[in-house]
Amino acid sequence: MSKVVTAAEAASRIADGAVVSVSSSSGLGCPDAVLRAIGARFDAEGHPRKLTTLHPIAAGDMYGIKGIDHIAKDGLLTRILAGSYPSGPSSLEMPEIWKMVVENRVAAYNVPSGIMFDMNRDAGARRPGVLTQVGLDTFADPIREGCAMNERAAEHPIVHRTEFAGETWLHFPNIIPNVAIIRATTADEHGNLTYEHEGAYLGGMEQAITAKNHGGLVIAQVKRVTARGSLRPHDVHVPGHLVDLIVVDPDQRQTTETDYDPAISGQIMRPWDSFSLAEYGVEKVIARRAAMELKRGQTANLGFGISAMVPRILLEAGHPEAVTWAIEQGAVGGMPLTGFAFGCASNADAYMPSPQQFTYFQGGGFDLSFLSFLEVDVQGNVNVSKLGKKPYLTAGCGGFVDITANAPEIVFSGFFEAGADLDLTEDGLRVRKPGKFTKMVEAVEHVTFSGQRALSRGQKVLYVTERCVMRLTDKGLIATEIMPGIEAERDIVQASQGRVQVAESAATMPKALLSQGAMGLEL
């Protein structure tokens, strides 16, 4: 019998109370047609009801791929665990899932993406849940929020502290999915799946294995179907015995705002001069200083925001292949993309499944990570995962907690103040008018990164801003480098309300950072 069904038929197979695991990363790899059909069935029939959904990385975005918003409905969705959530600017309407979260209409948890993949793996292998030190002393720790995003979630903890072998660990008990919804490019008639047009494998195979190991249902959304036996076995990433139903959506987008770009899926290699350089401005200056931490031959991780500009700094300097980039969606090497295509890379050397990429990150095998911050406090803690006043401006933690847990060196980048009027020239940067508020706070709203734990573990931590470079010490945040044009006492100490001190031996940052031309970076 054919496994090919309509999206509506696939949705009809999902029972009330199901635990549904969804493979996606925002618009990248999102099985949007199946999620839409589930929402449509609920509107018409009132079923399925009371679903729990698991999203290691966000499903859908705010720019045309609704993803989780298709099923963000009272009665349909009861509980959600996600590494990240759809996010965007305040000029766009709040996503439905965020309305449910902030109005306490669904039990919502923000779980580090790598831990979510670990939870899937251990449930699949019938082990007793995840035992990890990733997330200790952060919001994922029960001594803080325990991943809970609202009161309904806090009433039902999903993580506990435990002692094992003389050390403290976090234990995440199994949450077993009985449905997995994944996506690929091509399925043959048996359900073998290939990913030739995809920008990442994500965790589809692992999610399918876990559902099947517990007698569950696996639904694969694909772009096209071919005859059985026509796929090269080495190209099959999910074998057909793991797939129950195939839903064909010929219009599925490769990722947000991109129907199909062969360079994203590694089918062509772009000339290096076809990539745009970072636009001149304060953010580029910050990214340039961050890039100075690199050495040729290193492997570095990359996050969203200002940090995503660092590969373009190397490109401008003529070193596009000097460093191997590794991003959580799975791309290794090449040029990580920015904007709507963030999470993808062109000219990649390889694509790893996200679960394996996170094992690499959690174990700290790479050299350094470039990440951004929303706010930093006096203990060096960083928040990137929560904005109480406008929650959907941040996606949540994503892989941030997994990546920073054991990274040998972390370079955080961001603005010292929000909304300051800055005058940038090749001679210096001057603060013409202070910002609305400092990002150097007494205590961060959400501890996504624990400064004190990093300090105790000997991690090297830098905070790069447009005004200074700060280092985390046992005496707090110390500015060790000052940008030309900055008045240290006024623009750093007073602007931070004394939370940042300036080292007596503070150096002046090189003027080359301010150049409108290439800065002459050598690796």
Side-chain angles (χ1 to χ4, degrees):
M1 294 179 62
S2 174
K3 294 183 177 182
V4 178
V5 297
T6 66
E9 290 170 326
S12 72
R13 295 280 299 274
I14 299 175
D16 291 353
V19 178
V20 182
S21 178
V22 182
S23 182
S24 180
S25 176
S26 296
L28 178 64
C30 183
D32 200 56
V34 176
L35 295 173
R36 184 189 309 116
I38 297 170
R41 180 191 169 206
F42 179 80
D43 290 341
E45 304 174 10
H47 299 281
R49 298 184 60 79
K50 298 182 179 180
L51 298 186
T52 291
T53 59
L54 311 176
H55 309 266
I57 317 179
D61 55 48
M62 295 171 61
Y63 306 94
I65 299 176
K66 289 183 67 175
I68 188 62
D69 259 18
H70 287 301
I71 60 173
K73 302 172 187 288
D74 294 317
L76 193 167
L77 190 62
T78 296
R79 182 172 62 159
I80 178 170
L81 289 75
S84 52
Y85 289 77
S87 63
S90 58
S91 59
L92 297 180
E93 184 180 356
M94 182 186 294
E96 292 302 315
I97 186 58
W98 273 110
K99 293 177 185 177
M100 292 189 74
V101 172
V102 300
E103 294 168 9
N104 206 35
R105 291 156 44 207
V106 63
Y109 306 83
N110 187 199
V111 184
S113 292
I115 291 178
M116 288 212 66
F117 283 121
D118 292 341
M119 291 170 69
N120 180 81
R121 174 202 63 208
D122 284 8
R126 298 179 183 270
R127 290 189 283 262
V130 174
L131 197 65
T132 182
Q133 293 186 326
V134 171
L136 279 171
D137 299 328
T138 74
F139 78 94
D141 193 321
I143 64 171
R144 300 187 189 274
E145 291 86 353
C147 298
M149 296 175 70
N150 56 18
E151 292 178 7
R152 287 186 65 174
E155 292 170 359
H156 303 281
I158 61 166
V159 56
H160 312 279
R161 270 196 170 214
T162 188
E163 298 300 315
F164 178 74
E167 294 186 287
T168 300
W169 300 76
L170 298 182
H171 177 228
F172 290 81
N174 285 334
I175 299 174
I176 298 171
N178 42 35
V179 178
I181 305 174
I182 64 177
R183 201 186 92 167
T185 301
T186 304
D188 72 8
E189 294 165 305
H190 183 57
N192 295 305
L193 305 180
T194 58
Y195 282 64
E196 61 270 23
H197 288 180
E198 305 301 312
Y201 295 129
L202 302 176
M205 179 168 65
E206 292 78 5
Q207 288 166 280
I209 288 172
T210 297
K212 293 299 289 184
N213 279 3
H214 290 278
L217 176 72
V218 177
I219 302 168
Q221 178 183 307
V222 298
K223 197 173 187 177
R224 57 198 182 186
V225 174
T226 189
R228 183 172 183 174
S230 61
L231 297 176
R232 183 172 176 266
H234 277 285
D235 296 334
V236 173
H237 190 67
V238 179
H241 72 284
L242 298 178
V243 176
D244 297 298
L245 303 175
I246 301 165
V247 174
V248 181
D249 178 13
D251 299 321
Q252 68 182 23
R253 284 182 164 181
Q254 190 178 46
T255 188
T256 303
E257 297 289 305
T258 302
D259 291 327
Y260 173 59
D261 177 353
I264 285 177
S265 51
Q267 295 184 294
I268 65 169
M269 303 289 278
R270 289 174 55 180
W272 291 114
D273 62 8
S274 70
F275 295 97
S276 61
L277 300 179
E279 184 178 347
Y280 183 71
V282 178
E283 290 187 350
K284 183 174 184 176
V285 172
I286 297 172
R288 280 175 165 174
R289 174 57 190 88
M292 290 174 62
E293 292 298 304
L294 287 164
K295 297 180 177 63
R296 183 174 290 274
Q298 288 184 321
T299 298
N301 164 258
L302 197 66
F304 191 65
I306 294 174
S307 297
M309 300 172 67
V310 174
R312 306 303 169 114
I313 303 301
L314 269 61
L315 177 65
E316 182 180 56
H319 310 301
E321 298 178 276
V323 169
T324 298
W325 301 104
I327 54 181
E328 63 189 66
Q329 287 77 6
V332 178
M335 179 59 64
L337 302 181
T338 57
F340 287 127
F342 181 79
C344 303
S346 292
N347 299 1
D349 297 324
Y351 297 96
M352 288 178 63
S354 288
Q356 281 70 47
Q357 190 79 297
F358 274 109
T359 298
Y360 176 58
F361 290 156
Q362 290 176 349
F366 56 108
D367 294 292
L368 73 167
S369 181
F370 295 94
L371 299 166
S372 300
F373 66 79
L374 292 175
E375 55 182 3
V376 181
D377 71 19
V378 294
Q379 293 189 320
N381 298 323
V382 172
N383 173 23
V384 299
S385 49
K386 184 178 181 182
L387 283 172
K389 294 181 180 179
K390 295 182 178 180
Y392 67 102
L393 270 61
T394 173
C397 68
F400 191 99
V401 177
D402 308 280
I403 292 161
T404 56
N406 288 303
E409 179 178 354
I410 308 165
V411 181
F412 295 112
S413 297
F415 282 90
F416 199 89
E417 288 184 319
D421 185 2
L422 304 172
D423 180 29
L424 174 64
T425 71
E426 290 191 312
D427 292 322
L429 187 147
R430 292 169 179 81
V431 181
R432 287 192 294 211
K433 183 179 179 181
K436 298 176 183 178
F437 54 87
T438 180
K439 294 190 174 184
M440 307 298 126
V441 300
E442 191 66 26
V444 294
E445 185 175 1
H446 218 219
V447 179
T448 330
F449 167 78
S450 171
Q452 295 307 296
R453 182 170 175 81
L455 201 60
S456 69
R457 294 172 61 81
Q459 293 172 281
K460 181 181 178 182
V461 184
L462 273 70
Y463 308 82
V464 180
T465 75
E466 79 285 3
R467 303 183 190 193
C468 60
V469 174
M470 296 167 285
R471 296 179 185 270
L472 179 59
T473 73
D474 55 6
K475 296 180 181 179
L477 294 175
I478 305 296
T480 56
E481 300 175 36
I482 312 299
M483 183 67 70
I486 290 297
E487 296 182 25
E489 179 63 26
R490 184 194 70 182
D491 300 333
I492 297 173
V493 179
Q494 293 180 19
S496 69
Q497 301 176 23
R499 296 175 185 126
V500 179
Q501 298 299 311
V502 178
E504 292 183 3
S505 59
T508 301
M509 296 162 74
K511 279 192 174 181
L513 296 172
L514 305 166
S515 172
Q516 294 201 39
M519 68 173 286
L521 178 67
E522 295 296 334
L523 295 180

